[in-house]
């Protein structure tokens, strides 16, 4: 029997929707599932969004097939045993369809005026979370002490440590990529439809996987793009105003260091443009008139902050954003997959327009996959 639902389309294309957790919009996860989206991830920002695990728990009860996870959590706002417990609890609600997305944190820590996590802190948190989520005992270092930890009642339904929970690591630099290749099931990288950038990250990831002694292809590459479907007569500027807003600046901030190391391959123009956008957004920390960090992040992922409009150029939009007419969107996603992306992801940067964007993704891309 021929099936056209999400289970059938999953065999053709894995596609992830990422967005901020907004507790009154849980219904969008069911909408995404019905349209063939295979994964749904929500961000964590204690001062910015709703709590991700409450959102995901509710979503688990309204869905049957879609994979649910954080996009992303971090090792500092929640210690590893807490993260592992939250994921294993979600895994009890949605057995075998959860994933832990984790990184050093951009918005979650910076919006509180704090530094992002160190790679060593991230690596330790992942190691501890991985072992706990698999039902094993592991040493956890916290408050200057190293202590053995283990879930103490694994048979009574408090949590599910039987079904594997994949770990998706959000990487933003050469060291992060190398570390993630040692233990991740997937690496999430800010990538638009630029083939050169995708192929470079794919090459670096595959080399890091080989250097770590892991099997070729054992770590999936998840692209993170910003999305908008153009209507009749609309241009890239409408995409900024009505779609991804200030989102592309996040790709510049995340990628600045690695891009600067690969100027010869990527070209000075896009590297300089991305570095400039990141610097203009974050500001000069030594400047006397440096804006308060709460003001800097107040409108993060709320669409377009008018202050950022001059920063976002067509060059950046073309590089970091998946946008265009329905046929152009299909062409770009096909090229991204051919270039080495295993799971396409778009992060919806405006909760007010998320339902519209999910509908467009389903009908313009996934229905034709």
């Amino acid at each position: 029997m021929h099936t056209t639902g999400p289970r059938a389309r999953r065999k053709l294309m894995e596609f992830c929707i990422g967005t901020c957790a907004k507790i009154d919009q849980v219904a969008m996860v069911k909408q995404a599932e019905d349209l063939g989206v295979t994964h749904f991830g929500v961000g964590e920002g204690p001062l910015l969004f709703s709590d991700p695990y409450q959102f995901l728990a509710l979503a688990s009860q309204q869905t049957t097939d879609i994979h649910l996870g954080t996009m992303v959590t971090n090792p500092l706002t929640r210690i590893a045993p807490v993260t592992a417990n939250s994921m294993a609890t979600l895994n009890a609600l949605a057995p075998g369809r959860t994933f832990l997305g984790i990184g050093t944190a951009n918005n979650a820590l910076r919006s509180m005026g704090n530094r992002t996590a160190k790679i060593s802190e991230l690596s330790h948190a992942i190691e501890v979370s991985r072992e706990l989520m698999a039902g094993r005992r592991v040493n956890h270092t916290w408050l200057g002490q190293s202590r053995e930890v283990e879930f103490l009642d694994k048979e009574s339904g408090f949590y599910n440590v039987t079904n594997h929970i994949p770990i998706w690591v959000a990487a933003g630099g050469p060291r992060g990529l190398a570390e993630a290749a040692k233990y991740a099931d997937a690496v999430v990288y800010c990538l638009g439809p630029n083939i050169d950038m995708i192929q470079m990250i794919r090459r670096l990831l595959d080399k890091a996987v080989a250097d770590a002694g892991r099997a070729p292809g054992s770590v999936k590459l998840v692209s993170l793009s910003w999305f908008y479907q153009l209507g009749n007569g609309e241009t890239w500027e409408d995409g900024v105003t009505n779609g991804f807003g200030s989102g592309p600046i996040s790709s510049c901030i995340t990628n600045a260091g690695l891009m600067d190391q690969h100027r010869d391959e990527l070209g000075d123009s896009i590297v300089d443009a991305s570095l400039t956008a990141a610097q203009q957004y974050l500001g000069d920390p030594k400047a006397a008139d440096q804006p308060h960090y709460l003001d800097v992040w107040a409108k993060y992922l709320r669409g377009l902050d008018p202050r950022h409009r001059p920063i976002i150029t067509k060059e950046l939009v073309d590089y970091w954003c998946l946008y265009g007419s329905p046929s152009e969107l299909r062409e770009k996603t096909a090229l991204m997959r051919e270039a080495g992306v295993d799971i396409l992801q778009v992060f919806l940067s405006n909760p007010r327009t998320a339902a519209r964007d999910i509908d467009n993704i389903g009908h313009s891309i996934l229905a034709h996959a």
Side-chain angles (χ1 to χ4, degrees):
M1 180 176 67
H2 180 66
T3 304
T4 58
R7 292 180 187 272
R9 285 198 290 273
R10 176 170 302 156
K11 298 177 182 178
L12 299 176
M13 180 186 292
E14 289 188 283
F15 199 103
C16 181
I17 297 289
T19 188
C20 59
K22 192 168 185 293
I23 201 65
D24 61 353
Q25 292 188 328
V26 173
M28 74 172 70
V29 185
K30 176 60 175 171
Q31 176 196 8
E33 179 180 70
D34 290 343
L35 290 169
V37 175
T38 59
H39 297 75
F40 201 104
V42 290
E44 176 173 8
L47 303 184
L48 294 164
F49 319 130
S50 300
D51 180 82
Y53 293 103
Q54 294 184 52
F55 182 100
L56 293 168
L58 290 174
S60 74
Q61 302 305 287
Q62 298 178 18
T63 56
T64 58
D65 197 48
I66 196 167
H67 290 243
L68 307 169
T70 48
M71 190 54 63
V72 294
T73 189
N74 67 83
L76 297 186
T77 57
R78 301 175 197 262
I79 62 173
V82 174
T83 293
N85 181 286
S86 294
M87 286 306 308
T89 301
L90 181 65
N91 204 31
L93 295 173
R97 58 185 185 99
T98 64
F99 62 94
L100 169 60
I102 188 168
T104 57
N106 178 30
N107 64 75
L109 274 300
R110 292 184 192 273
S111 64
M112 294 194 292
N114 291 311
R115 66 167 176 85
T116 58
K118 300 174 182 177
I119 295 295
S120 59
E121 293 169 330
L122 175 63
S123 298
H124 180 65
I126 291 173
E127 178 186 3
V128 172
S129 297
R130 179 189 62 200
E131 296 303 297
L132 287 173
M133 292 187 304
R136 296 188 286 264
R137 182 173 297 192
V138 63
N139 284 319
H140 176 230
T141 301
W142 183 48
L143 300 180
Q145 302 177 97
S146 181
R147 293 289 185 268
E148 290 184 329
V149 292
E150 180 182 9
F151 288 142
L152 298 179
D153 191 349
K154 294 184 279 289
E155 308 299 330
S156 299
F158 291 110
Y159 17 67
N160 175 0
V161 296
T162 301
N163 296 99
H164 175 63
I165 301 175
I167 296 175
W168 292 19
V169 179
R175 189 181 169 203
L177 197 66
E179 282 295 309
K182 297 177 182 177
Y183 40 66
D185 296 281
V187 165
V188 182
Y189 216 94
C190 286
L191 294 167
N194 184 275
I195 303 306
D196 291 339
M197 182 70 175
I198 294 171
Q199 291 178 337
M200 185 186 78
I201 297 301
R202 179 82 258 180
R203 186 186 73 246
L204 294 174
L205 175 59
D206 289 345
K207 181 181 183 303
V209 169
D211 291 345
R214 300 180 68 187
S218 58
V219 181
K220 293 184 177 181
L221 176 60
V222 184
S223 60
L224 189 157
S225 308
W226 308 93
F227 177 86
Y228 184 68
Q229 179 174 302
L230 296 180
N232 291 333
E234 287 191 313
T235 69
W236 70 273
E237 294 165 306
D238 296 299
V240 177
T241 304
N242 304 322
F244 33 75
S246 302
I249 303 174
S250 292
S251 297
C252 298
I253 295 172
T254 301
N255 279 293
L258 182 138
M259 292 181 75
D260 198 32
Q261 294 182 7
H262 293 272
R263 284 179 172 271
D264 292 345
E265 189 169 353
L266 301 176
D268 288 333
S269 179
I270 189 60
V271 174
D272 289 337
S274 297
L275 287 172
T276 298
Q279 291 165 355
Q280 288 178 331
Y281 181 84
L282 296 174
D284 180 3
K286 299 179 182 178
D289 60 347
Q290 174 73 6
H292 197 282
Y293 53 84
L294 292 176
D295 296 327
V296 170
W297 291 91
K299 295 188 178 182
Y300 181 68
L301 294 184
R302 304 293 193 273
L304 176 65
D305 185 335
R307 295 175 298 178
H308 302 154
R309 187 63 191 82
I311 302 176
I312 306 171
T313 64
K314 187 175 186 300
E315 183 178 23
L316 294 177
V317 168
D318 288 345
Y319 205 85
W320 299 119
C321 302
L322 182 60
Y323 79 103
S325 66
S327 61
E328 289 171 333
L329 291 170
R330 291 192 291 273
E331 180 182 356
K332 289 178 180 179
T333 54
L335 289 173
M336 292 175 73
R337 294 177 72 192
E338 291 171 6
V341 172
D342 297 303
I343 302 177
L344 290 157
Q345 179 190 182
V346 298
F347 204 96
L348 305 181
S349 59
N350 188 344
R352 294 186 296 274
T353 59
R356 174 204 69 192
D357 293 335
I358 292 171
D359 189 68
N360 286 336
I361 290 165
H363 288 100
S364 296
I365 300 175
L366 298 178
H368 301 270

